[in-house]
């Protein structure tokens, strides 16, 4: 079973849920005509199906490895990368000033959904390269931009994020990598782990963005600076110079995404790797968050993508596989297990949450476009507020769902799902990283609760919930509308509880954070389902009528979890730390 | 991180939740003195820690494979098997008449919990052998018992279950393997798949229990007979004869349990494998259910065991790993992530559900002891009724939880959880089979709802819920007691709804079955937590006081899901089949 991009769903969500029209109406996106959007989506879908999806299993069974000190990617990877470079795909969302297409972030998101679904291990490479371009474009000096951006935008060079160290995972304050000034550059030394596409031979140069400390830097996160450390030094004329002292020491042996080389990087084992400072000293974490916010939305997108891939595979199998006569089946002749009520329940559970995630993720991406490009400052601020709140939901909620849905995909296959050749297990393994990298679900939840709810006393969350309530009011005539109203009240009660509980004991909101993130994900997901249902209102058959049914299903089977989560948060948070640690 | 059997918890549950005392009071178990029970548990714990746990990772990385047509198990497997045989462990629950120890099933369950936790891939072999002994003991002829049982009880020979075929997975009616009479035996031919320990060289003979059809058998499940097909024919004097025409064609390449050889078995590729009929013709499925009920409880136990293993590993890591200062931490100096509120929330979520599962599974096992051995017919009937209702909960609920908990185990490890060397990922992969084999979760749910709830109009479920209510009443003074009362009302309402809905459309209860199984699992699990809390009532510190806290946590974070499940069942089941299949 290969992958076919769900273009009808993608276009429907772009137009009716995420508000693509509002984005393409921005002057900066004047060239993003409906025809261009259509042809980009169609072409990206072809690349997904024809180029990337066929390599997904090869990446799993014949993954990246070290050969004679070099990182060798899977067969076909190089050719696939060339397809992206030749088509200029990597530059889709970037300014024409640096060789990009200047198209909306939300359109890039739709393109990457297809590629992540087709081949997640491969698409990590363009994903991280785009994140690196964002950081250099936002904070690099004119010289850095001139030197690095043109080839990064085309994808002739790729980019990486170097944050994690053995002693510094979720706690970036513990970073120890050093940067010592030397003339106009710095000498970087230290060890970084979990560096995705940290090394490979698909391109002639790799541009590492590295967090490190200056000798006089203050302790903690306020003493971290961001550096550009290229694999090969780049001369002023753009030609390549000497090999830098930045090497891949080894690759991790992972549960999944075998096609993606996860490197242990050794900087400065000899004389120190040569790097240049990005922006100002000691503001590295702030800059890195530019990449992180992009990467978090992109990893949330992986949650959606792997879910869609798992769903397609499960649906295909469920139609083909015949096992007995389904309960209540009145059709003639044998039929697939797709008509067994519990298999259908699993497929509907997958499908409705995929639709909710797509609505949320594309909306978040569209809000980034508006926040960056709208003429009106108030509009920009409002879009930024919502994008900031969406980001942890996109990352935290969608990746948790991606795991649940990939596991349901295995379950639909029964025993065959446990056999590796079937492919369902690969999605299950690949998905498992998404709740971990670019910040675990707890990190996302802390971002949502501690940073984005408690700091403003819940004001921002209330703006978001008012936006949800407006949709619920508009959908009052639909089943999901009324249920959404009740769920919003629970969300408001939980927000108030969080703000109050923080004054009593800071551990209470921290313990409640992940359940609150799930609750908010479900509620905002319901808003997206309600928007889709509103766009489909009155339809009696076909694609549009299906949106009404998946919204109903979501209301009964997903939104129904909100009350229990509300209880966990408000009544249950005290029990979290109640047990003496020694008695665990 | 290795495994240490949680003996204090195991003994606490045996005595205070599962009612070991009621079992050992049965005359048949007169020898099961407290001292003997104690020494068996201690010795089994040693075997788990010293013999089986150290082989768990070797089984994963150096799994079973075919070498020159023979199945070679992992290094150390043979020696570990010999330890079990030499200690007579395989015979623990069997009659001394056949060489067993004659000890309670519930004690065997506690022993196997430790071994499944230590090494699930290995312990599948004794698990299936015990199931095969059960079937031969219950339905075999005197000759079959004399010929096969002594060496199966000791573990000198192992046993298998041969049900599944390529076209007959969940649908056993589709079985095509043939059995043709020939004198006093039958010639068996056909292909069986997913045969656990279908072949290996650890023992001199393997006794296959095989479902097949006689030439004149009626179609469907009423035309299936059960046969004993040994790997080597057994002469009347017990010596081994010719190699039977029953061979392992290949092994599956699986997501996990690599140490367990999963065979494709070819019966009768030459002249037909020689087998003998067990019991009467065409009653094979009924007999196989003796093995299946044992196997289903045993697989549910695997859910618990892998959860306990994952929990121990996560807790160890959480204590060792230091990352930043936890929110609200007032201790001096660095502390492990165990004190981060969300890590603690994950650990408590794991711990409380492990305790609930252990209570349920041991209770189910104790009820089997009483159902088989009590003097009073009414007591036997009541115990059988409850055991029958517990079985799908044990299998369905505990294995789903085992997956969730193994996944939380990965999550606690962060990025290290995704690296295979850490070991957390192996538990996650191993756990994934448990919701599939011996009947998927949907099959368990159909057993609970279609067979065991609808057929008697919900009477049996009401007996079970009355039993739960008695505990809730006794625990009315504890937080979990009051919440349990409310949850029981939801369970009763759902039972009534199922019975009513079945008359309207049989697809409604079938679609609601898995959510109902989860609801019932949570409710009966809460009963077990309430029993534990009652036994601990008044304790103010230490092990017993911890039971009060985990019960509170369970009430707020797990029992709180019941309302939402009730909504899914009663309001949401119509939406399951509402969508035209073509629009999925």
């Amino acid at each position: 079973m290969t992958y076919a991009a769900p273009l009808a769903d993608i276009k429907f969500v772009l137009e009716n849920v995420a508000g693509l029209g509002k984005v393409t109406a921005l002057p900066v996106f004047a060239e993003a005509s409906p025809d261009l959007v259509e042809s980009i989506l169609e072409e990206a879908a072809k690349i997904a199906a024809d180029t990337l999806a066929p390599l997904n299993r090869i990446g799993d069974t014949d993954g990246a490895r070290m050969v004679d000190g070099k990182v060798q990617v899977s067969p076909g990877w190089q050719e696939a990368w060339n397809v992206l470079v030749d088509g200029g795909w990597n530059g889709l969302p970037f300014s024409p000033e640096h060789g990009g297409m200047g198209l909306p972030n939300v359109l890039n998101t739709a393109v990457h959904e297809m590629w992540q679904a087709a081949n997640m291990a491969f698409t990590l490479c363009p994903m991280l390269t785009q994140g690196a371009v964002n950081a250099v474009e936002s904070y690099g000096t004119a010289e850095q931009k001139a030197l690095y951006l043109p080839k990064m935008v085309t994808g002739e060079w790729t980019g990486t994020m170097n944050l994690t160290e053995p002693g510094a995972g979720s706690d970036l304050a513990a970073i120890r990598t050093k940067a010592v000034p030397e003339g106009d550059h710095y000498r970087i030394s230290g060890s970084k782990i979990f560096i995705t596409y940290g090394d490979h031979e698909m391109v002639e140069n790799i541009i590492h963005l590295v967090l490190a400390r200056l000798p006089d830097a203050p302790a903690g996160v306020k003493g971290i600076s961001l550096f550009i450390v290229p694999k090969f030094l780049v001369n002023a004329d753009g030609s390549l110079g000497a090999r830098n002292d930045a090497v891949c020491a080894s690759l991790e042996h992972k549960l999944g995404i075998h096609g993606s080389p996860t490197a242990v990087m050794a900087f400065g084992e000899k004389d120190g790797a040569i790097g240049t400072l990005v922006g100002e000293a000691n503001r590295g974490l702030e800059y890195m968050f530019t990449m992180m916010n992009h990467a978090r939305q992109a990893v949330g997108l992986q949650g959606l993508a792997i879910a869609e891939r798992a769903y397609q595979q499960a649906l295909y199998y469920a139609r083909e596989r015949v096992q007995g006569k389904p309960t209540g089946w009145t059709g003639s002749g044998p039929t697939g297990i797709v008509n067994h009520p519990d298999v259908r329940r699993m497929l509907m559970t997958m499908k409705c949450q995929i639709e909710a995630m797509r609505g949320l993720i594309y909306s978040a991406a569209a809000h980034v476009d508006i926040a960056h490009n709208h003429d009106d400052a108030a509009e920009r601020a409002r879009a930024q507020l919502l994008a900031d709140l969406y980001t942890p939901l996109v990352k935290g909620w969608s990746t948790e769902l991606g795991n649940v849905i990939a596991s349901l995909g295995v379950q639909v296959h029964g025993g065959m799902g446990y056999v590796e050749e079937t492919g369902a297990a690969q999605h299950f393994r690949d998905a498992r990283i998404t709740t971990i990298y670019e910040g675990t679900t707890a990190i996302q939840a802390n971002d949502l609760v501690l940073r984005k709810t408690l700091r403003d006393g819940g004001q921002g969350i209330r703006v978001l919930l008012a936006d949800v309530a407006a949709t619920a009011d508009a959908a009052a005539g639909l089943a999901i509308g009324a249920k959404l109203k009740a769920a919003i009240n629970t969300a408001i009660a939980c927000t108030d509880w969080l703000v109050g509980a923080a004054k009593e004991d800071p551990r209470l909101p921290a313990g409640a954070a992940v359940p609150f993130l799930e609750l908010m994900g479900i509620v905002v997901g319901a808003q997206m389902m309600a928007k889709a249902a509103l766009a489909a209102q009155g339809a009696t058959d076909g694609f549009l009528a299906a949106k009404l049914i998946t919204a109903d299903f979501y209301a009964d089977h997903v939104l129904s979890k909100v009350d229990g989560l509300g209880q966990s948060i408000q009544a249950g948070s005290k029990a979290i730390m109640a047990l003496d640690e020694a008695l665990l």
Side-chain angles (χ1 to χ4, degrees), chain A:
Chain A
M1 173 57 200
T2 184
Y3 166 79
L7 278 176
D9 271 284
I10 286 174
K11 290 179 201 168
F12 175 82
V13 171
L14 282 172
E15 287 163 18
N16 298 290
V17 181
L20 176 64
K22 275 185 72 176
V23 173
T24 53
L26 298 171
V28 67
F29 298 129
E31 292 200 14
S33 66
D35 280 357
L36 181 67
V37 167
E38 175 86 13
S39 69
I40 291 227
L41 293 173
E42 303 264 344
E43 195 56 38
K46 273 187 206 144
I47 291 173
D50 300 343
T51 303
L52 302 183
L55 300 177
N56 192 47
R57 186 159 158 69
I58 295 167
D60 190 51
T61 56
D62 195 357
R65 69 189 63 156
M66 297 274 290
V67 179
D68 299 333
K70 293 192 173 181
V71 175
Q72 181 181 300
V73 291
S74 302
W77 245 232
Q78 174 76 62
E79 293 74 12
W81 183 256
N82 294 347
V83 167
L84 300 201
V85 174
D86 293 347
W89 286 98
N90 202 53
L92 194 148
F94 300 117
S95 167
E97 198 186 330
H98 304 118
M101 294 189 198
L103 291 171
N105 176 51
V106 66
L107 183 60
N108 188 61
T109 299
V111 166
H112 271 239
E113 180 199 322
M114 303 184 225
W115 296 352
Q116 295 284 11
N119 194 330
M120 180 172 140
F122 177 86
T123 306
L124 277 162
C125 190
M127 172 191 140
L128 283 159
T129 300
Q130 288 194 337
V133 170
N134 270 333
V136 177
E137 203 174 40
S138 302
Y139 303 108
T141 61
E143 193 185 343
Q144 285 169 333
K145 288 183 193 179
L147 213 53
Y148 299 110
L149 280 184
K151 292 206 169 178
M152 292 175 77
V153 166
T154 58
E156 287 166 279
W157 298 348
T158 63
T160 71
M161 287 170 72
N162 289 250
L163 288 76
T164 306
E165 299 177 8
S170 296
D171 178 23
L172 294 174
I175 281 177
R176 294 172 58 184
T177 295
K178 283 187 211 160
V180 178
E182 183 185 77
D184 64 348
H185 58 258
Y186 296 79
R187 290 281 182 176
I188 316 285
S189 57
S191 179
K192 294 285 182 179
I193 61 171
F194 299 147
I195 309 308
T196 301
Y197 281 90
D199 200 13
H200 61 89
E201 304 291 320
M202 291 195 292
V203 293
E204 60 180 7
N205 206 2
I206 298 173
I207 310 306
H208 303 294
L209 285 155
V210 183
L211 290 184
R213 288 186 186 283
L214 293 169
D216 57 352
V221 294
K222 292 185 177 165
I224 300 172
S225 302
L226 180 62
F227 299 87
I228 291 177
V229 183
K231 179 176 175 182
F232 286 94
L233 300 177
V234 183
N235 300 317
D237 66 355
S239 63
L240 293 190
R243 179 73 166 85
N244 207 351
D245 187 9
V247 300
C248 173
S250 63
L251 296 181
E252 304 289 355
H253 175 223
K254 306 185 303 293
L255 173 60
I257 51 166
H258 297 157
S260 168
T262 302
V264 174
M265 293 296 297
F267 291 94
E269 295 267 285
K270 295 175 190 162
D271 309 323
I274 291 176
T276 55
L277 181 68
V278 176
E280 296 175 28
N282 299 331
R283 291 182 62 185
L285 200 69
E286 179 190 333
Y287 304 154
M288 191 57 97
F289 264 96
T290 299
M291 286 179 80
M292 287 286 276
N293 278 328
H294 172 272
R296 286 175 175 186
Q297 291 203 7
V299 172
L301 184 65
Q302 292 185 319
L304 163 64
I306 203 86
E308 170 72 32
R309 180 73 188 254
Y311 172 71
Q312 289 192 16
Q313 177 151 355
L315 178 58
Y316 177 84
Y317 185 81
R319 283 178 167 147
E320 293 292 307
R321 173 74 169 170
V322 176
Q323 278 295 280
K325 184 186 162 195
T327 303
W329 173 247
T330 54
S332 60
T335 183
I337 59 172
V338 67
N339 285 311
H340 281 280
D342 190 66
V343 172
R344 187 69 72 88
R345 185 190 61 80
M346 290 193 275
L347 291 168
M348 287 293 291
T349 301
M350 298 166 87
K351 180 177 173 62
C352 80
Q353 291 180 109
I354 286 168
E355 292 180 359
M357 281 191 272
R358 187 175 287 121
L360 168 63
I361 294 169
Y362 286 20
S363 293
H367 278 77
V368 170
D369 282 317
I370 291 167
H372 289 178
N373 298 292
H374 204 284
D375 288 338
D376 184 78
E379 288 279 347
R380 286 201 304 275
R382 181 184 159 83
Q384 189 65 53
L385 173 76
L386 291 176
D388 286 346
L389 289 167
Y390 286 146
T391 299
L393 303 182
V394 165
K395 167 63 166 81
W397 186 60
S398 301
T399 59
E400 292 286 344
L401 281 183
N403 274 276
V404 168
I405 291 170
S407 184
L408 284 172
V410 172
Q411 192 69 17
V412 169
H413 285 80
M416 289 308 295
Y418 205 65
V419 172
E420 283 287 2
E421 283 78 359
T422 307
Q426 183 191 344
H427 307 320
F428 176 71
R429 289 186 287 99
D430 287 352
R432 193 64 194 81
I433 189 57
T434 60
T435 62
I436 297 172
Y437 62 13
E438 308 302 346
T440 63
T441 304
I443 297 284
Q444 308 308 316
N446 281 347
D447 179 49
L448 177 68
V449 170
L450 306 186
R451 267 170 46 97
K452 293 173 179 167
T453 301
L454 296 185
R455 283 198 193 166
D456 70 357
Q459 281 183 48
I461 287 280
R462 283 191 200 92
V463 171
L464 172 61
L465 288 171
D467 188 65
V468 178
T471 305
D473 287 338
L478 299 167
I480 197 170
K483 289 177 182 169
L484 184 49
K485 285 291 271 187
I488 292 167
N489 289 336
T490 303
I492 291 171
C494 288
T495 304
D496 292 344
W497 181 88
L498 288 168
V499 172
K503 291 165 191 156
E504 189 185 330
D505 181 345
R507 299 176 306 173
L508 292 172
V514 167
F516 183 69
L517 181 143
E518 184 182 358
L519 185 155
M520 287 299 300
I522 290 173
V523 166
V524 178
Q527 176 187 22
M528 304 303 162
M529 297 305 279
K531 282 188 182 184
L534 282 168
Q537 214 167 1
T540 53
D541 62 2
F543 178 85
L544 284 179
K547 297 298 163 211
L548 298 169
I549 294 171
T550 51
D552 280 353
F553 189 95
Y554 185 95
D556 287 332
H557 293 266
V558 183
L559 198 50
S560 54
K561 295 177 183 174
V562 163
D563 279 355
L565 287 165
Q567 288 178 48
S568 286
I569 292 164
Q570 297 178 59
S573 295
K574 282 197 177 153
I576 292 175
M577 302 298 291
L579 192 64
D580 184 334
E581 185 250 303
L583 293 171
L584 277 168

